[in-house]
Amino acid sequence: MAFWKPGTAAPQLGLERPTGLSETEAGDTIGYNPHYRLPFKQQKLLLPIARARENILYALERYKTVVLVGETGSGKSTQVPQYLHESGWTQGDRVVLCTQPRRVAAITVAARVAEEMGCKLGGIVGYAVRFDSRVDEGGSRTRIKFVTDGLLLRETLYDPLLSAYSVIILDEAHERSMYTDVLLGLLKKVRKRRPELRIMISSATADAETFRDFFETFTYKGVSSEQSEGSNHDSTIVSITGRQHAVDVFYLSKAPRNYLRSAVDTVLSIIESEGRGDVLVFLPGMEEIDEAVVTVKEHLNALGGMENVVLVLPLHSSLPHHLQMKALQPPSRHVERKVIFATNIAETSLTIEGIRFIVDCGFVKLPVYDVRTGFESLVTTSVSRASATQRAGRAGRTGPGKCFRLYTEEAFSTLSAHTTPEVQRSNLAWMILQLKALGIDQVMTFDFIAQPSAEALMRGLELLYALGALDDRCRLTPDLGEKMAEFPVEPRLAKLLLASFDFHCTEEALTLVALLQVQNVWTNPKGRESRTIQEAAMAELASRDGDHLTLLAIYREWEEAGRSTEWCSEHFLNPRSLTRAREIRGQLRRYLERYKPKGSVFASCVDDSEALRRCVLTGFFFNAARLKSDGRYYTVRDGHPVALHSTSVLAKYGAPAEWIVYNDVVITSEPFLRDCSRIQPLWLMELAPHFYAYGGGKGTSISTSTNIC
Ligand code: CDP
């Protein structure tokens, strides 16, 4: 592999050190220690943001909205809340709130700030994320709070004016997560009712004007206009210049054939020929990460003894929290180098101790929603230039670094500047439900910073109406819609859980929903022999009724085996995913306790497989497909050709199922259905009579009818 650094005379071969790297080289020659730390006080003063402290504080006194722009690592997330605390913004029971798009970031940034301030996490500094929080009892002593943006959105349901907060910082706004985008619109409204509230939007890229202009304009009946003279200086931009440490970027001189192999080779070259420092590798998804971890470990093993000094770890959102933390914390003394294979969970906010080398494969898995087909799927796509810059920035946080991009410089220049905002590529049902619960009925004219398409909004309304969350005047239904809005899972799963009381299968529904929240419970074994053993294990646990019952069987057997890791390895199951599902199950159970209908009990349907499948259908009746005489499946809703995913037990065992319900679609060469169960066509009309009707003609034919608000 040939990497080269732009600006140097000629492409470099291998990982040879290019010219002009004095900073990095000095690090090597004087025995640079990536884990060395100055005391906090000095570290804080050295951060680029320290020079902008007074500007930031002045801007917040003077302007209602401040957009703070600065390179990653300059100190935005950790320092600004402390500056605000020191300068009185938390006096009089007020709280400074900082949102993060990811839960792991909210937790780790809170921990870091607590450490810098020399206090216990959960005291003056706390955090709250879905299903987990550490704030002072009653929140009375917590003055700086970190939360996920999704959680703040939910908080607006209970306190629409967010009255506890003096300053709300929307951190990592450049990520353009759906919740941050919606919060921007909501905060613009709140600001009108609370003139004393200050909003800070913190972003790593140069789209500061977009944020500032959004707050400078107001929308009246869908018409956007500049504010009248005198009031149009509500917002300002503060830029932080400079970055803490240099990161040298290297490109491949030729595109690799296989980015996974190229990532593994680059890691091995770094281990072999680069100086000290940990390595962070960005890969698109859990499957690639698991494969890369195994391959690198095998290579290290073959080198003899290396596996003890190089620690290879995965980092992605389906890992249980303690394993995510393992990747973030410094390794034990005998470990010389840590190599972390991560998804874009590590792209923003996280500081992983000691990282000095980045390997960026150039791809990311993004959820994409196709309005036409209603399919939501994770699509592997090229990163944006903004993302690539963020990734590189992970290396310069605690010392000088290097970033190896597994693509050419030319390919970099053709990448799109920014990732499409999530609100423009997502199923909007959950977001609409939250807005409705906040009393924002006119979602079509809501002031979005990036407007989603009218079609996507219509689809969202249609889904909520069909689920019974909205009435025919598009208002939330009190018995269902209002409860669903408060549930911490997407509307279809919330409906499934709430309906489980009617089907007397609440225990099973809880297990199922928890398992559907984690990725692959099966491991991805290498080699034909292992795959054959896995097939046998799958056959043993498979239910002829489909994947939902199979998932339940897996969970039940795992519990019966005492949640043993050995049992998981024998069956090629992923103990991490099962453990995470168990945690989520416990949390969902507590929610369901609160929202269960009066007089209902947590029943178990034991072996009544029909009850659970009917219950699944109450949430997922949209997702029905039928096997036709040409041997292909077609969606019942709009006749779109689809196929069973190879992992579905219905594709492997027993007689083919004619009618099925599915949870998920994976689009590769064609749409493949995942998590499928056999159903009876009559159940569709029984459980969703407003959506399905007999089409007449020969055989069973069903058509759909929706009433769109
Ligand atoms: O928000 P931004 O990317 O601008 O920076 P930050 O998250 O506030 O981090 C500022 C600096 O604090 C980083 O460059 C690290 O040096 C340090 N830091 C750390 O060492 N460990 C953490 N968990 C967080 C930050």
Side-chain angles (χ1 to χ4, degrees):
M1 245 177 327
F3 277 103
W4 79 291
K5 176 178 180 252
T8 53
Q12 306 290 315
L13 284 180
L15 294 175
E16 273 169 29
R17 180 169 296 117
T19 52
L21 284 183
S22 53
E23 225 177 322
T24 324
E25 279 201 81
D28 281 346
T29 47
I30 60 167
Y32 168 75
N33 175 3
H35 292 287
Y36 172 72
R37 293 282 175 281
L38 286 167
F40 281 140
K41 209 168 160 196
Q42 274 110 310
Q43 273 187 50
K44 287 168 64 142
L45 287 174
L46 286 174
L47 287 172
I49 200 166
R51 293 190 294 274
R53 186 181 189 276
E54 297 315 313
N55 285 354
I56 293 168
L57 291 174
Y58 169 76
L60 265 186
E61 289 290 345
R62 166 76 182 75
Y63 299 93
K64 288 183 184 156
T65 307
V66 176
V67 183
L68 183 64
V69 203
E71 290 221 36
T72 172
S74 52
K76 301 182 295 299
S77 316
T78 53
Q79 304 308 304
V80 174
Q82 297 185 63
Y83 296 166
L84 296 175
H85 179 60
E86 288 154 11
S87 56
W89 284 95
T90 54
Q91 276 168 12
D93 277 352
R94 294 180 306 166
V95 175
V96 166
L97 184 87
C98 179
T99 68
Q100 296 289 331
R102 293 172 202 285
R103 55 185 280 133
V104 56
I107 298 170
T108 52
V109 179
R112 169 75 182 194
V113 172
E115 201 185 349
E116 285 189 13
M117 289 174 67
C119 58
K120 225 177 79 216
L121 184 59
I124 290 181
V125 184
Y127 71 82
V129 299
R130 194 165 69 134
F131 304 133
D132 181 15
S133 81
R134 268 177 89 174
V135 284
D136 187 41
E137 272 303 281
S140 56
R141 217 162 48 87
T142 297
R143 291 284 156 259
I144 299 176
K145 194 165 132 190
F146 290 88
V147 297
T148 48
D149 49 7
L151 200 101
L152 181 60
L153 188 58
R154 291 175 59 72
E155 210 172 308
T156 54
L157 292 180
Y158 310 106
D159 178 9
L161 291 183
L162 299 167
S163 48
Y165 307 119
S166 56
V167 184
I168 295 177
I169 306 167
L170 298 183
D171 201 3
E172 314 291 350
H174 56 266
E175 270 213 24
R176 303 301 300 276
S177 78
M178 177 152 72
Y179 299 130
T180 294
D181 268 22
V182 175
L183 280 170
L184 285 166
L186 286 176
L187 287 176
K188 197 169 159 182
K189 275 176 177 287
V190 172
R191 205 178 63 153
K192 285 190 200 135
R193 303 273 300 276
R194 284 193 57 202
E196 80 289 2
L197 175 71
R198 292 293 181 267
I199 299 162
M200 179 172 270
I201 297 147
S202 166
S203 170
T205 46
D207 46 12
E209 279 88 7
T210 314
F211 294 121
R212 189 205 44 205
D213 294 350
F214 178 67
F215 279 92
E216 283 293 303
T217 56
F218 69 96
T219 329
Y220 179 66
K221 287 191 178 157
V223 182
S224 173
S225 61
E226 285 295 314
Q227 280 190 334
S228 59
E229 215 181 305
S231 61
N232 62 347
H233 293 302
D234 262 359
S235 321
T236 190
I237 299 173
V238 177
S239 302
I240 305 163
T241 47
R243 60 172 306 126
Q244 216 186 349
H245 302 283
V247 177
D248 289 309
V249 176
F250 300 83
Y251 293 92
L252 279 178
S253 41
K254 215 170 85 205
R257 283 225 192 121
N258 176 333
Y259 65 80
L260 196 56
R261 189 169 313 148
S262 172
V264 168
D265 289 348
T266 307
V267 167
L268 295 173
S269 305
I270 292 172
I271 293 173
E272 209 176 288
S273 52
E274 289 284 329
R276 290 188 67 178
D278 297 339
V279 189
L280 174 62
V281 189
F282 285 99
L283 290 175
M286 174 173 150
E287 290 85 6
E288 293 90 340
I289 289 175
D290 283 348
E291 193 175 334
V293 167
V294 171
T295 316
V296 171
K297 280 186 176 170
E298 277 171 6
H299 273 90
L300 295 173
N301 237 328
L303 291 173
M306 285 289 279
E307 72 278 15
N308 297 325
V309 286
V310 180
L311 185 65
V312 186
L313 294 167
L315 177 60
H316 51 76
S317 57
S318 350
L319 285 179
H321 180 64
H322 71 280
L323 289 181
Q324 288 181 348
M325 296 315 281
K326 193 172 167 192
L328 301 181
Q329 280 151 5
S332 57
R333 273 166 168 254
H334 68 270
V335 172
E336 283 173 15
R337 200 194 293 269
K338 195 163 77 165
V339 178
I340 296 164
F341 286 95
T343 55
N344 62 341
I345 189 176
E347 193 174 295
T348 51
S349 308
L350 296 182
T351 296
I352 307 176
E353 297 274 331
I355 294 293
R356 197 174 161 212
F357 304 100
I358 298 293
V359 180
D360 173 11
C361 79
F363 292 101
V364 61
K365 250 187 199 161
L366 286 180
V368 175
Y369 177 59
D370 183 333
V371 179
R372 203 174 40 83
T373 59
F375 293 154
E376 283 170 85
S377 57
L378 278 174
V379 175
T380 302
T381 167
S382 296
V383 291
S384 63
R385 287 203 298 277
S387 270
T389 309
Q390 281 290 316
R391 289 180 172 190
R394 299 292 100 188
R397 288 168 80 88
T398 52
K402 289 183 182 181
C403 172
F404 299 99
R405 291 186 172 150
L406 303 179
Y407 40 93
T408 61
E409 194 186 11
E410 195 191 350
F412 175 76
S413 63
T414 61
L415 295 174
S416 59
H418 300 286
T419 313
T420 310
E422 200 180 355
V423 77
Q424 292 180 331
R425 55 179 167 81
S426 299
N427 178 344
L428 301 176
W430 198 1
M431 191 264 304
I432 295 173
L433 194 62
Q434 304 285 314
L435 289 179
K436 292 263 174 195
L438 279 169
I440 297 169
D441 266 331
Q442 301 303 322
V443 288
M444 295 300 241
T445 52
F446 180 73
D447 195 1
F448 287 103
I449 183 164
Q451 185 67 30
S453 73
E455 217 182 336
L457 285 165
M458 286 301 279
R459 277 272 177 164
L461 287 166
E462 179 191 298
L463 174 66
L464 292 171
Y465 175 75
L467 285 172
L470 299 181
D471 63 17
D472 49 15
R473 292 180 61 194
C474 258
R475 289 173 313 204
L476 276 191
T477 51
D479 51 336
L480 207 55
E482 283 176 14
K483 283 185 187 163
M484 281 164 66
E486 303 209 357
F487 244 78
V489 286
E490 64 124 323
R492 290 172 302 184
L493 292 173
K495 168 87 187 275
L496 187 167
L497 284 172
L498 288 164
S500 69
F501 291 104
D502 297 336
F503 294 92
H504 308 288
C505 63
T506 309
E507 295 295 352
E508 287 75 14
L510 276 168
T511 306
L512 179 65
V513 172
L515 284 165
L516 291 174
Q517 303 280 302
V518 297
Q519 283 175 25
N520 304 357
V521 291
W522 295 102
T523 54
N524 198 1
K526 285 187 99 185
R528 191 180 297 171
E529 200 185 329
S530 305
R531 278 197 292 273
T532 316
I533 304 173
Q534 186 184 50
E535 285 293 327
M538 275 184 180
E540 193 189 306
L541 292 163
S543 157
R544 64 173 294 280
D545 287 329
D547 301 313
H548 300 109
L549 273 302
T550 304
L551 283 171
L552 284 190
I554 291 170
Y555 192 83
R556 201 177 298 146
E557 298 273 327
W558 175 65
E559 287 276 13
E560 276 169 19
R563 300 195 286 276
S564 125
T565 312
E566 290 76 49
W567 182 85
C568 286
S569 351
E570 276 164 28
H571 290 80
F572 287 87
L573 286 160
N574 201 331
R576 296 187 310 232
S577 302
L578 291 171
T579 309
R580 175 94 183 109
R582 189 165 182 273
E583 284 167 18
I584 295 175
R585 187 184 190 282
Q587 290 152 349
L588 284 173
R589 198 173 205 286
R590 286 192 281 283
Y591 265 89
L592 215 48
E593 282 282 2
R594 211 182 308 157
Y595 297 106
K596 73 175 187 210
K598 250 197 182 138
S600 308
V601 289
F602 281 69
S604 166
C605 63
V606 197
D607 290 326
D608 180 1
S609 110
E610 186 175 322
L612 185 78
R613 285 179 292 147
R614 279 165 165 270
C615 182
V616 170
L617 213 48
T618 58
F620 288 85
F621 55 84
F622 263 79
N623 293 0
R626 184 187 182 183
L627 184 63
K628 295 232 169 133
S629 51
D630 62 359
R632 299 202 62 171
Y633 279 96
Y634 292 84
T635 57
V636 179
R637 186 184 163 161
D638 50 11
H640 203 87
V642 285
L644 288 175
H645 194 270
S646 60
T647 56
S648 171
V649 295
L650 293 180
K652 293 172 189 277
Y653 315 106
E658 187 184 348
W659 294 83
I660 58 168
V661 60
Y662 60 90
N663 289 132
D664 203 11
V665 182
V666 185
I667 301 179
T668 44
S669 51
E670 57 180 312
F672 290 100
L673 309 181
R674 262 202 322 208
D675 299 322
C676 310
S677 273
R678 188 188 296 272
I679 54 164
Q680 298 291 334
L682 282 179
W683 298 352
L684 289 173
M685 279 163 297
E686 200 184 306
L687 297 166
H690 51 298
F691 196 74
Y692 290 104
Y694 265 121
K698 268 194 191 160
T700 318
S701 151
I702 290 181
S703 59
T704 61
S705 55
T706 35
N707 218 336
I708 301 171
C709 305

